[in-house]
Amino acid sequence: MTDYSEEQRNELEALESIYPDSFTVLSEKPTTFTITVTSEAGENDETVQTTLKFTYREKYPDETPLYEIVSQENLDDNDVTDIIKLLEQQAEENLGMVMIFTLVSAVQEKLNEIVDQIKTRREEEKKQKEREAEEEEKQRFHGTPVTIENFLNWKAKFDAELLEIKRKKMKEEEQAGKNKLSGKQLFEMDHNLDTSDIQFLEEAGNNVEVDESLFQEMDDLELDDEEDDPDYNPVNLDSD
């Protein structure tokens, strides 16, 4: 006859010596305890961690222990679900033997895998960002590849814009031509132009200044006397 109590007690002593810093007994009846499992350090010393809670059933190890995850760090919901499935699988495979160490070791390996997956995922994300940045840089320098379709679309848009510019220019020139006045029209519109000189003289009165220096050299000019002109004919003058 199997002494379940003795097997359970012996396993507890072994677990306490194997996990001195992470093993905690919560109660003796039923026997309940926790073991905290931490992954190996990953990139940037990052780790993932979970605390497992076990409870012996009366006929353990011929019955599987009760187990649950009571806390976790850096694990998402999918990771937690995978760990629960792993515990269920390992418990069924090791039924009839003390199995807590085996279960904890399986979870330890799973956590190490998760850390590696996090590292791989980050590296992929980094590479993806680098590829996107490189592609964006190529697009900046090389632009969009020219195809017949996008060239025709561009040309239609360009021709439409050019036609609109020409229409605006013609309209502006037409409007400017209508508004442009001839000299006669300006004169007729502004009657002050025909009296401006007279008005200037009237306003100046007797104070109009004349620069006499302009006439000082008149005496030095050699003017031919009419009588000295060989073509001079007084008869012709009288006939006029």
Side-chain angles (χ1 to χ4, degrees):
M1 183 175 179
T2 304
D3 189 345
Y4 297 114
S5 298
E6 183 177 357
E7 287 196 32
Q8 294 172 11
R9 186 168 53 253
N10 292 336
E11 184 179 38
L12 283 176
E13 293 177 358
L15 293 173
E16 187 175 7
S17 62
I18 296 172
Y19 307 108
D21 300 325
S22 59
F23 175 82
T24 304
V25 175
L26 301 179
S27 66
E28 294 182 357
K29 292 185 179 181
T31 303
T32 303
F33 55 92
T34 61
I35 298 176
T36 299
V37 187
T38 305
S39 70
E40 296 177 356
E43 188 177 18
N44 300 323
D45 295 329
E46 184 179 41
T47 60
V48 293
Q49 179 176 286
T50 184
T51 297
L52 305 175
K53 178 182 177 182
F54 297 99
T55 300
Y56 286 151
R57 291 178 176 175
E58 183 179 356
K59 295 182 179 181
Y60 171 83
D62 287 338
E63 293 179 320
T64 60
L66 301 175
Y67 46 81
E68 63 179 299
I69 294 176
V70 294
S71 68
Q72 56 86 15
E73 292 182 8
N74 301 324
L75 295 174
D76 57 31
D77 293 341
N78 290 334
D79 294 330
V80 173
T81 300
D82 290 343
I83 292 172
I84 293 296
K85 290 181 179 179
L86 177 63
L87 288 171
E88 180 180 354
Q89 176 187 351
Q90 291 293 319
E92 292 295 332
E93 291 179 359
N94 289 276
L95 190 61
M97 299 180 291
V98 291
M99 64 182 73
I100 301 302
F101 176 77
T102 302
L103 300 183
V104 173
S105 297
V107 172
Q108 176 79 58
E109 292 181 5
K110 181 63 178 178
L111 296 184
N112 291 340
E113 291 177 5
I114 293 173
V115 169
D116 291 339
Q117 291 171 0
I118 292 175
K119 179 181 178 180
T120 302
R121 184 168 61 247
R122 287 181 176 174
E123 290 177 349
E124 288 297 325
E125 291 174 353
K126 181 179 179 181
K127 290 180 180 179
Q128 180 63 26
K129 289 181 179 179
E130 291 175 352
R131 286 193 293 266
E132 291 175 355
E134 184 178 351
E135 186 64 25
E136 183 178 349
E137 193 72 13
K138 288 181 179 179
Q139 291 292 338
R140 183 185 304 175
F141 284 98
H142 298 288
T144 304
V146 177
T147 63
I148 294 177
E149 182 179 0
N150 60 28
F151 172 77
L152 292 177
N153 291 336
W154 170 85
K155 188 176 186 305
K157 183 178 179 181
F158 176 79
D159 290 343
E161 292 176 352
L162 185 61
L163 180 60
E164 183 64 22
I165 292 173
K166 288 182 178 179
R167 287 177 178 174
K168 288 183 179 179
K169 185 175 181 181
M170 292 175 63
K171 187 175 181 180
E172 291 174 357
E173 291 177 350
E174 181 181 355
Q175 189 66 32
K178 290 181 179 179
N179 295 335
K180 186 176 181 180
L181 300 177
S182 64
K184 181 179 180 181
Q185 289 173 321
L186 289 172
F187 189 82
E188 291 175 347
M189 291 179 62
D190 190 355
H191 296 290
N192 292 327
L193 294 177
D194 57 354
T195 60
S196 59
D197 291 342
I198 297 174
Q199 184 177 358
F200 170 75
L201 293 174
E202 289 178 350
E203 290 178 354
N206 296 326
N207 296 325
V208 177
E209 296 182 359
V210 178
D211 189 353
E212 296 179 357
S213 64
L214 298 175
F215 305 96
Q216 289 178 357
E217 304 297 330
M218 293 291 292
D219 296 337
D220 297 335
L221 295 175
E222 294 182 0
L223 299 176
D224 293 335
D225 192 1
E226 291 180 351
E227 296 180 355
D228 295 335
D229 185 355
D231 296 327
Y232 173 72
N233 189 347
V235 176
N236 294 334
L237 294 174
D238 294 337
S239 65
D240 292 336

